[in-house]
Amino acid sequence: MFIKRRLCIRNEIWTRRAWRSEKRAGSGGFPGLGDGEVTRRDWSRLRDCAMPAEGEGESGRVYMSAGIEENLTVPADEVALNGFAQTAPACIVDCARPCVWPDTLMLPPWPVLGIGDPNHTFSSRLDTMVEEGFDVLKVRGSVQAFPHAAATLVQLLRFLPALTVEDGLVAESLAYAALQGSSEHQGWLSGLERSSPLAPQGRVGLTREEDAVIATLDRADAGNAIDRPMRDALHEAFALVNLDPTITSITLKGAGRAFCLGADLAEFGTTRDPALAHAIRRATLPANEAARCADRFRAVIDGACVGAGLELAAFASHITATRRSWFQLPELAMGILPGAGGCVSLTRRIGRQRTALMVLSGRRISAGKALEWGLVDALVD
């Protein structure tokens, strides 16, 4: 209770200081926001929405109340006043609270998490809505552990929908390259235990039945983790489809009990130059070719579908999955973001908010949830 009152008093002090600065500057809005694009009254309204009143205990506000009690919530007026100098790694906004929302909002350069009513007209402007089954405080904890990766992710996802697939892949690769050189990723690499001896190199089996091509990830002993030979083989397989108009479909599946456990961890950090790594991705990333034949691309998922495997499969125009399958994007805990095309492919399948939720939470998604979200098109036995 004391913390909550202290925050309210501090907010009032901030508001008064901002108003005095505003009057001295002769501006219609907060200093630094430019031409009053977001007015003082708008930010006051947003602050009211972000901070529940005393005694509110509705289920949609439980997490918000917990955030305030632990001093985890960033009030909206603090965001407006401090701008890029704000050190908080995330904002939490409660969309369940009745209030008048601003017509214009400049999102800060870090994640803005929403809780409460997912159908609120304002909710679509946030980086993600923390849905039922997810814990907003755990999501925020993940963001706090890897703030630069989380901030880079949401800033990328905000403008990806406006780009073409090809331009989106370029933007994703550049963002990924920036994080490859970050202290967060380097810290993860320093703690990575290299397997010894290395698992045998993988291969991609390629067969053609009349006009249909079947590509099989064949490294079952390593969960079909994609290494360089498999990456290059996948790139060639999709390039072949693009070169041959007589091929009516390409179906991707995995051998063994897992579809794909993602990229081979043993190969992370082998290319230390981020610019060179970006150049390699632009030349060899399977997603570059898979996106061009997406209308002929099918994916058949059975078992674990993680990281790069999910990112590639999500480009398919039709995805089936067995009921035991599960899906995960664990990249944030590695100090990076999905860099095998997933920011582009998943955004187009499930939207940027659910893509952000999968990455920021790092949680596994069941086959049923994947079907509900549209990540897969059908479940099979």
Side-chain angles (χ1 to χ4, degrees), residues 19-42:
W19 180 241
R20 286 198 295 269
S21 298
E22 185 180 337
K23 289 186 67 176
R24 287 196 297 269
S27 169
F30 277 133
L33 292 183
D35 300 328
E37 183 175 358
V38 181
T39 66
R40 173 178 179 273
R41 181 176 60 183
D42 285 339

Side-chain angles (χ1 to χ4, degrees), residues 3 17 41 48 86 89 103 116 119 125-126 198 201-202 228 230 255 258 274 282 289 309-310 316 319 336-337:
I3 293 176
R17 287 176 179 173
R41 181 176 60 183
D48 292 341
Q86 175 58 250
D103 295 329
N119 297 316
R125 306 186 197 179
L126 308 181
L198 296 176
Q201 286 187 348
R228 288 184 183 179
M230 294 175 72
R282 294 305 303 143
E289 294 291 341
L310 172 56
I319 303 176
I336 51 177
L337 50 74

Side-chain angles (χ1 to χ4, degrees), residues 1-11 14 46-57 60-78 90-95 97 113 115 135-137 140:
M1 189 71 68
F2 172 75
I3 293 176
K4 191 177 292 185
R5 288 180 177 176
R6 184 176 62 188
L7 284 175
C8 291
I9 293 172
R10 188 171 63 182
N11 289 340
W14 282 329
L46 184 55
R47 176 200 60 196
D48 292 341
C49 296
M51 300 189 65
E54 294 284 347
E56 290 187 340
R61 301 177 187 131
V62 171
Y63 286 145
M64 176 58 75
S65 297
I68 290 177
E69 292 295 338
E70 298 181 29
N71 200 20
L72 294 177
T73 301
V74 180
D77 54 356
E78 180 179 351
C91 303
I92 303 174
V93 176
D94 186 1
C95 292
R97 180 175 173 82
L113 314 176
I115 60 174
D135 187 330
V136 69
L137 296 185
R140 190 190 184 283

